[in-house]
Amino acid sequence: NSAHIGVTGLAVMGRNLARNLARHGHRVALHNRSAARTSALMAEFGHEGAFVPTETMEQFVAALERPRRIVVMVKAGGPTDAVIEELVPLLEPGDIVVDGGNAHFLDTRRREAALREHGLHFVGTGISGGEEGALEGPSIMPGGTPEAYAILGPLLESIAAKVDGRPCCTHVGPDGAGHFVKMVHNGIEYADMQLIAEAYDLLRHGAGRQPGDIAQIFRGWNEGRLESYLIEITAEVLGHGDPLTGHPFVDVVEDRAEQKGTGRWTVQTALELGVPVSGIAEAVFARSLSGSAALREAARGLPGPSETWLDSAAADRFAGDVEQALYASKIVAYAQGFHQIQAGSAEYGWQIDRGAMASIWRGGCIIRARFLSRIDAAYRADPELPTLLTDDHFREALGAAQSAWRRVVSTAAQLGVPVPGFSSALAYYDALRADRLPAALVQGQRDFFGAHTYRRTDRAGSFHTLWGGDRSEQER
Ligand code: NDP
């Protein structure tokens, strides 16, 4: 009567994952540092499936069939290391430790290497979908060895969300690959949320629409190519009235966005890898700016444009333009995120299948969307696609959207509505497609003040101009 799998850490995520596993017919051993959570789970949900509650780590480990499958679902950081340290002496070679917490992929690489020394598998696993996803079917991004996935994968696939009958779970790649992909997923989530928020702001403070009307517009968009969980919940939030005051909910909430840090990790990692994820970076900065209360208070009186609203005819046409700009900017944000996955995969030798990542994000996770099938198709058509922007479908969509996109960005600038996501996405698009970039001038500046040298378009080699002398050119 050994348990098939164990879960230690039974706060919201661990509890719901354990219940999800049990509901799918797996016998689940339960453990939590403080036994109260274990008994609470048994009292409330013990009837849902076959649970084996345990009080000590020794009992927990002893309750599991071999090779053991142990899911650690504790607070990320120090607590994960503490639990691993307690577990390792009790385990035997071939056992599998799964970290389902929001770990940084570099920590996962370190832990994987350490456990490998003991003959143990360590599977850093990204899990998206929050509390509800954990129970009803999350998107699951496991790293680690193929050997570990062979033993663990079927259980994870059984509890993952399903789209078109396929589980939203696949082996991402070795060591930290799963947590890396989960990190980029969260970065893309930041960018997508920011773009949607900008679309709202333009309709509200450019076109003068009320939140209830904008909720209707979003519901309409959710019937088309923008169909996604984030658009759906945006319409819900915008349509909600505050029961206390009767005002739109969005007007009574403080306009300071918080963050837990995965967006920041994505940008920090992108900086290290040299990948321009401007949309994700703008989204992280926009949250920081919104939270800079003193700065905003000091700047409140700064002059703005004299025209701050569209006239009514233009306002009527505007929603269509904003939809185009949102779609185009969203393509750019995802293209940047997938570029980061490509770069991380190359840097760490992970061989990540980008189409498969788009496919497992179609259900269970926060960025789930119809659109992701397009990305999957793009990578299936060309696994080496250098950027999503040049895929036939996206190229065509961008071409059709670009005039509206430019109108929206210029209108926003004229009316003084801040759209860092829309405008940086357009700048990225224009920069990538440019024949010549002013980077040539930057190289000249660097060579002038620091003799940093430059390359020529017409000859191989590195060159330096004697700027302070006779301005002759030397090959370096
Ligand atoms: P928390 O992050 O709030 O962590 C609480 C759990 O960690 C409790 O079981 C607690 O035990 C345990 N714990 C804390 N410190 C220690 C320690 N030193 N030793 C042993 N156990 C410890 O729980 P969540 O369920 O919210 O999240 C779990 C993990 O999943 C986190 O890494 C989180 O980032 C990640 N995650 C969360 C999502 C969410 O929507 N909440 C979504 C996806 C991932 P005790 O009861 O004894 O205090």
Side-chain angles (χ1 to χ4, degrees):
N1 270 352
S2 300
H4 303 135
I5 189 163
V7 179
T8 178
L10 300 173
V12 283
M13 288 298 288
R15 181 183 60 189
N16 283 355
L17 275 181
R19 291 173 61 199
N20 189 350
L21 282 160
R23 287 175 177 189
H24 282 86
H26 308 295
R27 179 182 294 273
V28 188
L30 302 174
H31 176 265
N32 193 72
R33 176 178 61 176
S34 45
R37 284 198 202 268
T38 314
S39 33
L41 194 164
M42 287 308 293
E44 253 185 287
F45 309 108
H47 61 277
E48 287 184 356
F51 293 110
V52 184
T54 66
E55 289 197 2
T56 65
M57 205 54 114
E58 287 78 7
Q59 288 169 0
F60 176 62
V61 168
L64 290 159
E65 69 179 20
R66 295 188 53 205
R68 299 183 179 86
R69 290 173 276 225
I70 295 176
V71 179
V72 179
M73 214 54 210
V74 300
K75 206 173 169 59
T80 306
D81 285 317
V83 171
I84 291 173
E85 207 170 299
E86 207 183 336
L87 265 174
V88 166
L90 306 174
L91 300 180
E92 290 161 281
D95 287 350
I96 301 168
V97 177
V98 181
D99 175 16
N102 260 336
H104 193 286
F105 75 97
L106 292 177
D107 285 334
T108 302
R109 282 171 61 80
R110 167 176 61 77
R111 290 169 183 146
E112 198 272 341
L115 265 66
R116 205 175 335 127
E117 296 285 303
H118 298 272
L120 300 171
H121 294 289
F122 185 74
V123 181
T125 301
I127 300 183
S128 178
E131 214 178 311
E132 194 192 326
L135 183 62
E136 305 293 341
S139 177
I140 309 180
M141 295 151 253
T145 60
E147 293 77 19
Y149 193 80
I151 300 165
L152 178 73
L155 276 85
L156 296 183
E157 290 181 14
S158 72
I159 63 161
K162 309 282 180 310
V163 176
D164 302 335
R166 279 162 60 201
C168 293
C169 172
T170 191
H171 182 220
V172 175
D175 58 81
H179 275 136
F180 183 92
V181 162
K182 169 67 185 346
M183 175 188 76
V184 176
H185 163 285
N186 284 27
I188 292 175
E189 174 186 312
Y190 272 59
D192 207 338
M193 290 169 71
Q194 173 66 19
L195 292 172
I196 294 171
E198 290 177 17
Y200 154 75
D201 205 21
L202 284 163
L203 294 171
R204 184 86 193 264
H205 299 113
R209 302 294 199 103
Q210 290 307 301
D213 298 339
I214 303 172
Q216 271 311 109
I217 293 171
F218 276 88
R219 282 191 195 100
W221 290 353
N222 204 36
E223 302 289 311
R225 60 190 178 171
L226 284 170
E227 181 194 314
S228 61
Y229 173 70
L230 283 172
I231 293 279
E232 180 192 327
I233 64 162
T234 302
E236 289 297 316
V237 174
L238 287 174
H240 181 59
D242 173 43
L244 200 64
T245 59
H247 294 308
F249 170 82
V250 75
D251 287 351
V252 300
V253 175
E254 273 193 28
D255 60 347
R256 292 183 216 169
E258 297 176 8
Q259 47 187 320
K260 289 208 288 191
T262 42
R264 182 165 54 231
W265 286 353
T266 314
V267 178
Q268 285 169 335
T269 305
L271 290 171
E272 296 296 331
L273 291 169
V275 180
V277 291
S278 47
I280 300 171
E282 289 294 355
V284 174
F285 289 144
R287 290 196 192 187
S288 306
L289 189 151
S290 77
S292 305
L295 200 61
R296 290 178 62 192
E297 188 51 41
R300 205 171 288 280
L302 289 175
S306 48
E307 292 290 318
T308 54
W309 299 100
L310 290 171
D311 63 45
S312 65
D316 287 343
R317 286 194 305 270
F318 199 51
D321 278 0
V322 173
E323 193 270 348
Q324 303 262 14
L326 179 53
Y327 192 62
S329 302
K330 180 170 164 132
I331 295 171
V332 167
Y334 282 67
Q336 293 179 343
F338 277 87
H339 180 195
Q340 183 164 355
I341 291 177
Q342 178 188 13
S345 181
E347 172 74 18
Y348 297 103
W350 288 327
Q351 313 241 331
I352 297 174
D353 175 344
R354 283 168 289 164
M357 296 307 106
S359 178
I360 63 168
W361 290 346
R362 291 183 307 153
C365 64
I366 305 300
I367 64 170
R368 60 186 182 259
R370 176 199 283 204
F371 171 75
L372 287 158
S373 302
R374 290 280 183 196
I375 296 181
D376 183 17
Y379 285 118
R380 264 190 286 121
D382 178 4
E384 302 306 322
L385 193 64
T387 167
L388 283 174
L389 305 188
T390 57
D391 165 72
D392 286 347
H393 169 78
F394 293 124
R395 176 199 296 269
E396 216 171 282
L398 289 163
Q402 63 151 335
S403 327
W405 193 11
R406 295 181 194 286
R407 279 197 297 278
V408 167
V409 170
S410 58
T411 303
Q414 272 161 6
L415 300 179
V417 178
V419 288
F422 280 13
S423 55
S424 74
L426 181 56
Y428 178 88
Y429 175 73
D430 282 333
L432 273 195
R433 57 174 204 86
D435 280 339
R436 292 277 297 161
L437 288 171
L441 177 58
V442 172
Q443 283 297 81
Q445 293 163 334
R446 295 179 69 246
D447 190 57
F448 192 108
F449 66 65
H452 292 305
T453 75
Y454 50 89
R455 292 178 178 280
R456 296 182 55 100
T457 56
D458 54 355
R459 283 163 59 200
S462 294
F463 299 91
H464 169 57
T465 290
L466 296 171
W467 295 101
D470 66 357
R471 304 213 163 177
S472 60
E473 186 175 74
Q474 299 176 333
E475 185 158 4
R476 287 285 173 99

